[in-house]
Amino acid sequence: MQVLTEEIDSHLSLSDALNSHPLIIFDVKPEQTEHTIQFRLQEGLGFKAVSYYFHNEKDSYPTPKYINKFEEIPHNTYLLLTYDENGYTAYLCLSNQYQQSSMIGSSSGIELKLQRSRTSSTQPIHILICVRGTKLHPTVAQIMRTALKSVGDLGSLPEEKPPLPKWLGLLGWEAEGELSHDLILNSVWSLRQNDIQVGYAVIAEGWQSVAHNPENGEGNLALLNFEADPDKFPHGLKGTVEELHQAGVKHVGVWHSIKGSRGGLHPALAQKYDLEADAEGRYILGRDVGTTFRFFHDYYEYLKHQGIDFVKIGDQINFEGVTLCLKNLQTAVQASASLHFGITPLNTECLHNENLFYWTISTIAKAAENINFENPQGVQESIRNHLANSLWLQHIMKPDFGTWSSTSPHKESVAIFHALSGSVNVLQDLPGEHDKTLIRRLVLPSGKILQADHPLTLCSGCVFVNPLETKQVYKAFTKTGRHGLVAAFNLSSGKRTLHGTLTVADVEGLKDHEFAVCSHRNGLVGLLKGEGQLPITLKPNHSDVFTLAPLENGLAIFGFHTLYLAAAPLTEINIEEDSVHISSEVSGPLLLYCEKQILEIRRNGHVIPWEYDSKSHILSIDSKANLVETHSVYSILFEA
């Protein structure tokens, strides 16, 4: 690791430095306040880049911008990924309670803009990390993990945090808008009447008792007290929770702003905690960690008595410049939530740069804005932005891809996106608005969601591509056991049919060398090994899931093909010379690639029907059966 001070680096070509030192951490003296630092950089052959920037300081999530020159880097860029003849390079600004740093492009490279607060510390403060590598994903992982350790604050790595509760592996429900007791209960009962069981529910923004703060003019509504809005929730929060339990929902959470409410606390509540108003008349938590902890301790104690099991915290942006407020708030909410609920908060509206390094035990963070259905390309932008941000976020938090509706525009693309997310899965369906068949492709009858082993991650060849503007299939990968999975999207504007290819290298980390590939839409695609390619085609606004099943002794088990994660229910596979035995947590239509002659097939000891296409070598077992959630063992005997 090479640590460079401003004096050494003020006239340095950073491009040349990175050729000698693939990891550079840049620091400044603590007494320096607002100023700009120039870095000279040159674009190498084949240069392309993506910058992650905020349109304005109040944004909660960065947006990717795809560029071909350093001077095109927009204002408020916090992360920059580039590729050229020298390999992949990542540049990450570091922000915390003492500073905010961001990048902007210039004709000679980049400018680093610093905004500092006064500190008594005499130690140099890290402001920029640069990492160069030959492979994209390890380079991104290295810079995020190095940043978390270099800042030296509250943040910890994912493997250092407590495990998530098992119930987050159930289907969730959350709806936004004009919330009420009746809307929530009617939505959940409507799903249950369609044989879709919800395991947990989030009561979203709009449930709290809020009022205008007379000292803050026309600002956001302030938190009046701890109770639910009596007009929307006439039975109180406890009454709603009890009825949700009766509907089979085992866990209930609520949303709140990290400031209590977006407008802070109402004067009537603030006086109980001796809070003073700021220059705008707002009563804001966070200035004192003790007072902040006392508030959230009281708040969560009240919510626990109402039956609430967890909280989802939004509005996580620094609202007073470079201060300790956000750090104090994160300290208080994580400690209080862990104490009262035994689970740390779910996080949303939370990816402002200085927030990334304060999640000590919090595990989940939303990766991008919700889908804007008023925008004709809202679905496409949401998928792109979530995948672009998940690329780096997954190395410090589990990405949350937000809520989805089974009846929304481009509903299958949205369903595939969430099915392969590797994270929580939360519906926002309203009463009577369900596509039961679609939901059944990713959720078992008990409400258990089928999850991939890892977060859905952009394939290296798609990171520097804007899928809304180019004629390229947008691909992301994950895995379930030894099976590789590729989600392929046509996000291109206009009515374009896209053609692309599929390779083993699309799914990084696969151990096997030969695979049979199955499309969820079209069945068998072909066999893949080494550097081979298979052609794929997507019609306008279409998407698909490709399962790469390891080919062993002429046999590849795709899984239960009515599911997007066909291989997810498989628990054990034993392939022998004259037979194969498959254990699964479900029974239903099972699909295999098989080059052998079949003698007999049994499920749990009973002979069952099967069909075999000798031309394609596709074996279909129980093709007309319904999917049933029961432990099953399939035994396939081959002819000698």
Side-chain angles (χ1 to χ4, degrees):
M1 178 173 64
Q2 179 79 0
V3 180
L4 302 174
T5 64
E6 183 177 352
E7 287 80 1
I8 295 173
D9 265 341
S10 58
H11 301 292
L12 176 72
S13 168
L14 193 51
S15 297
D16 294 338
L18 283 164
N19 288 332
S20 304
H21 304 285
L23 172 58
I24 296 176
I25 301 177
F26 188 88
D27 57 31
V28 294
K29 296 177 180 178
E31 64 270 17
Q32 293 171 318
T33 54
E34 294 188 18
H35 66 298
T36 299
I37 304 172
Q38 298 277 349
F39 292 95
R40 290 195 294 116
L41 290 161
Q42 302 88 38
E43 297 98 0
L45 292 175
F47 181 86
K48 50 188 176 182
V50 56
S51 67
Y52 294 84
Y53 78 107
F54 291 92
H55 289 287
N56 60 68
E57 290 295 336
K58 297 299 182 182
D59 286 349
S60 299
Y61 304 98
T63 299
K65 182 173 181 177
Y66 304 88
I67 58 178
N68 296 305
K69 295 180 179 180
F70 283 111
E71 62 184 320
E72 297 173 356
I73 298 171
H75 181 62
N76 284 340
T77 289
Y78 289 85
L79 173 64
L80 176 68
L81 303 178
T82 71
Y83 173 77
D84 60 20
E85 59 186 325
N86 297 307
Y88 297 97
T89 309
Y91 307 81
L92 177 64
C93 297
L94 299 178
S95 298
N96 56 27
Q97 73 268 25
Y98 300 123
Q99 68 188 18
Q100 288 180 1
S101 58
S102 64
M103 288 178 276
I104 188 172
S106 70
S107 57
S108 59
I110 59 174
E111 294 180 3
L112 190 67
K113 295 185 176 296
L114 300 178
Q115 181 184 354
R116 303 289 310 283
S117 65
R118 296 292 180 181
T119 173
S120 59
S121 172
T122 59
Q123 297 298 315
I125 298 176
H126 300 320
I127 58 172
L128 180 70
I129 298 180
C130 310
V131 173
R132 177 165 288 172
T134 57
K135 295 182 178 180
L136 174 65
H137 293 106
T139 300
V140 175
Q142 184 182 6
I143 198 167
M144 297 308 301
R145 295 171 72 90
T146 301
L148 205 58
K149 293 302 183 183
S150 297
V151 170
D153 255 303
L154 302 177
S156 56
L157 296 170
E159 62 268 21
E160 300 170 344
K161 298 180 182 182
L164 291 171
K166 291 183 178 180
W167 55 261
L168 278 176
L170 300 173
L171 180 67
W173 178 88
E174 175 182 5
E176 299 179 349
E178 293 298 322
L179 284 186
S180 68
H181 171 91
D182 290 342
L183 174 68
I184 293 170
L185 268 298
N186 290 341
S187 298
V188 170
W189 275 112
S190 178
L191 284 163
R192 185 167 180 179
Q193 289 164 2
N194 281 273
D195 298 320
I196 301 163
Q197 182 59 56
V198 173
Y200 64 96
V202 181
I203 302 176
E205 183 174 7
W207 69 271
Q208 295 170 301
S209 292
V210 292
H212 283 289
N213 175 359
E215 301 175 28
N216 186 225
E218 299 300 320
N220 289 318
L221 296 175
L223 187 65
L224 190 59
N225 54 52
F226 292 167
E227 298 173 5
D229 185 321
D231 294 329
K232 298 177 181 179
F233 296 86
H235 308 291
L237 201 55
K238 190 170 187 177
T240 300
V241 171
E242 289 175 349
E243 290 197 39
L244 282 170
H245 287 166
Q246 293 170 13
V249 179
K250 298 179 181 179
H251 302 274
V252 182
V254 293
W255 179 100
H256 71 77
S257 162
I258 200 168
K259 302 189 286 287
S261 180
R262 292 190 187 272
L265 305 190
H266 191 275
L269 181 59
Q271 67 180 1
K272 297 180 181 180
Y273 296 93
D274 299 321
L275 294 181
E276 296 182 0
D278 65 8
E280 299 179 21
R282 301 174 301 178
Y283 291 88
I284 298 297
L285 294 159
R287 296 192 186 93
D288 176 75
V289 69
T291 300
T292 305
F293 175 79
R294 184 161 64 92
F295 170 83
F296 283 109
H297 177 278
D298 293 349
Y299 196 13
Y300 292 173
E301 184 176 50
Y302 171 83
L303 293 176
K304 184 67 176 179
H305 287 159
Q306 306 307 303
I308 295 302
D309 298 300
F310 65 99
V311 290
K312 184 174 185 178
I313 300 180
D315 194 26
Q316 297 186 39
I317 59 173
N318 212 341
F319 39 87
E320 291 195 333
V322 185
T323 69
L324 278 170
C325 281
L326 199 55
K327 181 179 180 180
N328 289 341
L329 285 162
Q330 284 288 2
T331 302
V333 296
Q334 290 179 83
S336 300
S338 181
L339 178 65
H340 290 290
F341 305 127
I343 174 178
T344 54
L346 310 185
N347 297 279
T348 184
E349 302 174 306
C350 56
L351 295 194
H352 219 260
N353 190 254
E354 67 270 20
N355 206 44
L356 302 179
F357 310 109
Y358 297 146
W359 289 317
T360 310
I361 52 178
S362 277
T363 307
I364 299 178
K366 194 167 182 298
E369 297 281 2
N370 289 332
I371 298 173
N372 178 8
F373 289 110
E374 295 181 0
N375 180 349
Q377 289 191 294
V379 171
Q380 293 90 331
E381 286 186 359
S382 179
I383 291 175
R384 180 200 66 186
N385 292 350
H386 275 89
L387 286 174
N389 287 340
S390 176
L391 177 73
W392 53 267
L393 177 63
Q394 63 181 275
H395 299 293
I396 55 175
M397 295 282 276
K398 179 183 283 290
D400 173 4
F401 288 176
T403 59
W404 68 284
S405 167
S406 67
T407 59
S408 67
H410 312 300
K411 60 184 181 181
E412 185 165 40
S413 292
V414 174
I416 287 174
F417 173 62
H418 285 273
L420 273 68
S421 70
S423 187
V424 293
N425 203 315
V426 183
L427 276 176
Q428 61 176 20
D429 285 6
L430 296 177
E433 299 179 8
H434 319 297
D435 186 329
K436 180 178 177 180
T437 301
L438 188 67
I439 296 171
R440 281 280 174 247
R441 294 176 187 169
L442 59 160
V443 182
L444 298 181
S446 66
K448 178 182 178 180
I449 60 174
L450 297 168
Q451 283 186 319
D453 296 341
H454 307 286
L456 189 61
T457 303
L458 278 176
C459 297
S460 295
C462 295
V463 169
F464 300 103
V465 172
N466 186 352
L468 279 66
E469 298 177 357
T470 58
K471 300 178 182 180
Q472 181 172 328
V473 175
Y474 203 51
K475 296 182 295 183
F477 73 93
T478 186
K479 292 182 288 186
T480 56
R482 291 169 58 192
H483 289 70
L485 295 163
V486 175
F489 303 95
N490 182 344
L491 304 183
S492 177
S493 59
K495 298 181 178 181
R496 299 172 177 169
T497 295
L498 299 183
H499 303 280
T501 60
L502 197 67
T503 69
V504 174
D506 284 332
V507 185
E508 297 187 14
L510 289 178
K511 304 298 184 184
D512 295 277
H513 301 290
E514 188 170 9
F515 299 85
V517 181
C518 184
S519 155
H520 182 81
R521 283 184 177 273
N522 303 310
L524 182 69
V525 179
L527 304 183
L528 262 182
K529 66 178 180 179
E531 298 181 358
Q533 298 181 346
L534 289 174
I536 58 175
T537 299
L538 291 177
K539 294 179 180 179
N541 299 317
H542 276 204
S543 57
D544 203 351
V545 178
F546 296 93
T547 300
L548 283 69
L551 186 61
E552 184 178 345
N553 293 336
L555 191 70
I557 298 135
F558 294 120
F560 298 88
H561 64 90
T562 60
L563 303 170
Y564 289 129
L565 271 71
L570 303 177
T571 56
E572 187 176 1
I573 299 171
N574 292 311
I575 299 177
E576 301 173 358
E577 189 65 32
D578 58 352
S579 63
V580 60
H581 305 279
I582 305 167
S583 297
S584 170
E585 59 182 308
V586 303
S587 67
L590 185 61
L591 198 68
L592 298 83
Y593 174 88
C594 182
E595 297 175 351
K596 298 186 177 185
Q597 297 298 313
I598 311 300
L599 178 63
E600 182 182 75
I601 300 178
R602 293 176 178 267
R603 184 185 65 240
N604 297 337
H606 301 285
V607 175
I608 57 175
W610 51 274
E611 300 89 37
Y612 183 68
D613 184 333
S614 59
K615 184 177 180 180
S616 65
H617 301 294
I618 288 296
L619 173 62
S620 299
I621 303 173
D622 257 0
S623 61
K624 297 181 180 180
N626 293 321
L627 193 78
V628 178
E629 195 172 354
T630 181
H631 177 70
S632 303
V633 177
Y634 292 84
S635 297
I636 305 171
L637 303 181
F638 305 124
E639 292 185 355

